[in-house]
Amino acid sequence: MKMREQIMISELTTMRIGGPARYVVEIEQVEDLCWAYEFAEEQGLPVWVMGEGANTIGHDRGFNGVIILNRLRGIEIVAEDEKTMTLRGMAGENWDRFVEFTTARGLSGIETLSKIPGTLGAAPVQNIGAYGRDVSQVLESVEVFDTKTREITIIPKSKMNLSYRSSRFNKGGDVGRFVIVSVTMKLSKEQTLSAPFYASLQRYIDEHNVTDFSPQNIRQMVSTIRADKLPDPQFVASSGSFFKNIYLNKNEADEAEQKGIPLWRNEDGSGKINSGWLIEQCGLKGKQLFGFRVSEKAALVLINESATSYAELDKARAEIRQKVLEKFGYELQQEPVEISE
């Protein structure tokens, strides 16, 4: 365990804005979690838990509290049969390394989620997803540290309230109560994905005449597509997809389709609008806004080129939202969470 004082949040998050955090504690063993919360309680300070900062925004005022950086690592096979393998990964593991671990063994279920930045522990919190798939489809359970009881417990998928980019961990009365320690997923030894795929992946498949849909090859294709469209947050300041896509019920999807808005349709008739398409149609793709730039390759991505304050982000975000609202009538929702006391 390591503890530091007065560390800039801009150094901890990939968007690279945010003032000083009073304390930053790096947790490398589960036992250290209880100590960190007891320390915060003794100091009368709030706690904020994060992984690699890829989906987190800091404020100019900083955080007068304790930021816990989850550095718990390790992957193990906990069950296996002829068709499936169940894996338990520690929450501080890098997500993409975990995907690589599974596809290298021919396991299917999360290959389309390759190259999503962040940690394994963040995956169920946001119910991360890409190319028509999300974590809820393979998730079994999570091991958590309950900050109320100061005990380790297991929460099954059925008790997580999972939906699009949402769970009981980031929405509702339990926000901040649980620290995810490990994540358990059941993956298939058989190829589970087949054409037609999500639009951008299907285009790549068609253009390159791909017939191999093995987990390894789908991972390679997704990695190539994402590398071309999305900046690597290690080198380019951004939080990945800054706005959530828009989910519609069947009637709303029908109305959108009648207006000529492209949709991804589900079997029940509901649909999803790519918010990046809406932003692009507003003429914002590649545009500079208060030190930020709407990516010219993927309009969902907001790149920090010269901004140093949250106030600049607030102005850029407001302008994008307003233009989409005026043109299409949809209110864009931000995907990254914001550190708050």
Side-chain angles (χ1 to χ4, degrees), residues 77 79-87 107-108 140 185-190 192:
I77 299 169
E80 185 175 5
D81 57 32
E82 290 184 1
K83 294 183 178 181
T84 66
M85 182 181 291
T86 303
L87 303 170
L107 301 175
S108 179
E140 291 284 290
M185 298 182 188
K186 180 183 284 188
L187 302 176
S188 176
K189 292 181 178 180
E190 300 175 344
T192 61

Side-chain angles (χ1 to χ4, degrees), residues 27 30 33 37 49-51 68-73 88-93 119-127 135 139 141-147 152-153 155 160 162 167-170 176-184:
I27 297 297
V30 177
L33 276 169
Y37 272 88
V49 181
M50 57 188 284
I68 294 177
L69 301 180
N70 193 325
R71 300 293 184 254
L72 302 172
R73 295 192 172 94
R88 174 179 179 259
M90 301 305 288
E93 280 288 338
T119 58
L120 181 55
V125 175
Q126 290 291 119
N127 188 22
V135 163
L139 194 58
S141 64
V142 294
E143 182 183 19
V144 299
F145 173 74
D146 188 333
T147 64
I152 300 293
T153 188
I155 298 178
M160 294 185 209
L162 294 164
S167 69
R168 70 182 291 187
F169 308 116
N170 69 359
R177 175 178 174 179
F178 300 108
V179 180
I180 294 180
V181 171
S182 70
V183 179
T184 299

Side-chain angles (χ1 to χ4, degrees), residues 97-250:
R97 282 199 294 270
F98 182 74
V99 178
E100 182 180 36
F101 181 93
T102 66
T103 57
R105 287 157 178 77
L107 301 175
S108 179
I110 57 175
E111 56 267 47
T112 64
L113 278 60
S114 294
K115 297 301 178 182
I116 294 178
T119 58
L120 181 55
V125 175
Q126 290 291 119
N127 188 22
I128 63 172
Y131 302 98
R133 305 278 294 182
D134 62 50
V135 163
S136 71
Q137 294 164 298
V138 297
L139 194 58
E140 291 284 290
S141 64
V142 294
E143 182 183 19
V144 299
F145 173 74
D146 188 333
T147 64
K148 284 188 177 181
T149 64
R150 304 291 166 88
E151 296 177 343
I152 300 293
T153 188
I154 302 294
I155 298 178
K157 180 174 72 172
S158 61
K159 298 292 182 65
M160 294 185 209
N161 302 333
L162 294 164
S163 60
Y164 176 65
R165 302 299 179 267
S166 178
S167 69
R168 70 182 291 187
F169 308 116
N170 69 359
K171 186 177 182 180
D174 284 334
V175 173
R177 175 178 174 179
F178 300 108
V179 180
I180 294 180
V181 171
S182 70
V183 179
T184 299
M185 298 182 188
K186 180 183 284 188
L187 302 176
S188 176
K189 292 181 178 180
E190 300 175 344
Q191 184 176 303
T192 61
L193 301 181
S194 60
F197 294 90
Y198 197 78
S200 56
L201 179 56
Q202 189 63 52
R203 280 196 301 272
Y204 183 95
I205 289 170
D206 294 340
E207 290 170 2
H208 294 82
N209 299 314
V210 178
T211 57
D212 176 4
F213 301 141
S214 65
Q216 298 96 320
N217 205 42
I218 289 179
R219 170 175 167 76
Q220 183 275 321
M221 289 188 288
V222 168
S223 298
T224 299
I225 294 168
R226 290 183 68 93
D228 181 60
K229 295 175 60 177
L230 303 173
D232 187 334
Q234 292 186 47
F235 308 105
V236 180
S238 90
S239 295
S241 296
F242 191 81
F243 294 105
K244 297 178 182 179
N245 288 320
I246 298 171
Y247 272 71
L248 307 174
N249 61 35
K250 184 181 183 304

Side-chain angles (χ1 to χ4, degrees), residues 45-65:
L45 297 173
V47 175
W48 185 273
V49 181
M50 57 188 284
E52 296 177 354
N55 198 55
T56 307
I57 304 294
H59 285 254
D60 299 339
R61 64 179 178 274
F63 181 64
N64 185 30

